[in-house]
């Protein structure tokens, strides 16, 4: 039933913004095509190197990078760009935003996640603002998914003497390869134990950073000296 519900939700969302989904599907198809070409070219090079040396293919996996670093380093660069494209496409298309009021001890659902406001914390709140560098207030949020504890988040508000009416917001993040969960302490009343939370659930953000790292590694490979065989 959950799969049917998810399928229906995606279908309805696609119908409401067909252009976004068209670009998303095009990006996925293009990325799959480029990735398949890169893997196919690399596999051929590994097979050829292993055949020349009469060794197991596993020992030839580094040969293409040593023998032609510019070409295969360039492939790694392209693979990094593919990761970045996918990360940007999915994070833009499927980001979910929530804003909920919550009380201390209460748990609120944000899509598939549940956040419980365990308590508030503060620093230097009993001192005049002009006598300290800053004053901090944060919410201690326990994050769960399917009953499993994911971690403790601490979205924070920081007040400075120079601009007490314009506090800064420090976002709490729980990150994984699949998604990032961002929590913002939009408003609070510690005397009543209440808060308003702004939450963003954004898929595949980590792949943007992974793609950037892969891209840099590919650039470094292209600078390797060529090993003549």
């Amino acid at each position: 039933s959950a799969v049917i519900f998810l399928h229906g939700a995606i279908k309805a969302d696609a119908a409401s913004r067909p252009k976004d989904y068209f670009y998303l599907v095009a990006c996925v198809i293009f990325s799959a095509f480029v990735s398949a070409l890169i893997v196919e070219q690399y596999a051929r090079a590994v097979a050829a190197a292993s055949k020349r040396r009469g060794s197991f293919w596993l020992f030839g996996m580094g040969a293409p990078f040593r023998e032609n670093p510019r070409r295969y380093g360039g492939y790694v660069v392209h693979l990094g760009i593919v990761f970045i494209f996918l990360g940007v496409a999915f994070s833009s298309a499927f980001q979910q935003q929530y804003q909920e009021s919550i009380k201390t001890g209460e748990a609120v659902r944000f899509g598939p996640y549940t956040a419980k406001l365990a308590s508030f914390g503060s620093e230097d709140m009993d001192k005049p603002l002009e006598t300290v560098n800053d004053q901090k207030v944060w919410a201690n949020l326990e994050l769960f998914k399917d009953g499993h504890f994911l971690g403790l988040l601490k979205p924070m508000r920081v007040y400075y003497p120079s601009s007490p009416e314009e506090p800064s917001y420090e976002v709490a993040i729980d990150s994984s390869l699949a998604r990032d969960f961002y929590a913002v302490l939009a408003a609070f009343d510690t005397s009543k134990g209440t808060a308003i939370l702004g939450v963003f659930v954004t898929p595949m953000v980590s792949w943007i950073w992974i793609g950037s790292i892969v891209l840099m590694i590919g650039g470094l490979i292209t600078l390797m000296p060529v090993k003549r065989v």
Side-chain angles (χ1 to χ4, degrees), residues 69-86:
R70 289 187 178 180
R71 179 178 181 180
Y72 291 95
Y75 285 160
V76 174
V77 169
H78 282 81
L79 194 61
I81 294 174
V82 166
F83 291 160
I84 294 173
F85 268 37
L86 289 174

Side-chain angles (χ1 to χ4, degrees), residues 8-202:
I10 293 176
K11 187 176 180 180
D13 189 40
S16 65
R17 46 194 184 116
K19 184 182 291 185
D20 292 344
Y21 274 79
F22 172 78
Y23 289 133
L24 178 64
V25 171
C27 179
V28 171
I29 293 174
F30 173 76
S31 299
F33 177 72
V34 172
S35 299
L37 284 179
I38 291 173
V39 171
E40 188 265 343
Q41 290 293 318
Y42 176 65
R44 283 190 177 187
V46 170
S50 301
K51 186 176 181 179
R52 286 196 307 270
R53 301 181 179 192
S55 61
F56 184 55
W57 66 268
L58 188 63
F59 299 104
M61 292 185 68
F65 300 105
R66 293 191 298 269
E67 297 170 4
N68 197 341
R70 289 187 178 180
R71 179 178 181 180
Y72 291 95
Y75 285 160
V76 174
V77 169
H78 282 81
L79 194 61
I81 294 174
V82 166
F83 291 160
I84 294 173
F85 268 37
L86 289 174
V88 170
F90 277 88
S91 62
S92 300
F94 293 113
Q95 184 187 70
Q96 296 174 306
Q97 302 180 24
Y98 307 89
Q99 182 168 298
E100 295 287 348
S101 177
I102 187 172
K103 296 180 180 179
T104 303
E106 187 179 52
V108 176
R109 289 190 64 85
F110 298 102
Y113 302 93
T114 301
K116 178 182 178 181
L117 179 57
S119 62
F120 284 100
S122 61
E123 184 179 285
D124 292 330
M125 293 304 291
D126 56 340
K127 300 178 181 179
L129 183 57
E130 61 272 10
T131 65
V132 294
N133 291 327
D134 56 52
Q135 290 178 339
K136 299 176 182 177
V137 179
W138 61 87
N140 293 309
L141 296 178
E142 297 175 352
L143 184 63
F144 299 86
K145 183 180 182 183
D146 300 326
H148 299 288
F149 179 67
L150 299 180
L152 181 67
L153 303 182
K154 294 185 177 183
M156 186 179 299
R157 295 276 290 274
V158 184
Y159 297 84
Y160 298 96
S162 58
S163 54
E165 301 301 324
E166 298 180 359
S168 66
Y169 296 80
E170 294 194 9
V171 181
I173 304 174
D174 184 81
S175 184
S176 70
L177 286 177
R179 59 92 189 109
D180 280 7
F181 183 100
Y182 304 88
V184 180
L185 185 58
F188 65 92
D189 187 335
T190 55
S191 63
K192 296 181 180 179
T194 60
I196 296 177
L197 299 177
V199 167
F200 301 83
V201 181
T202 309

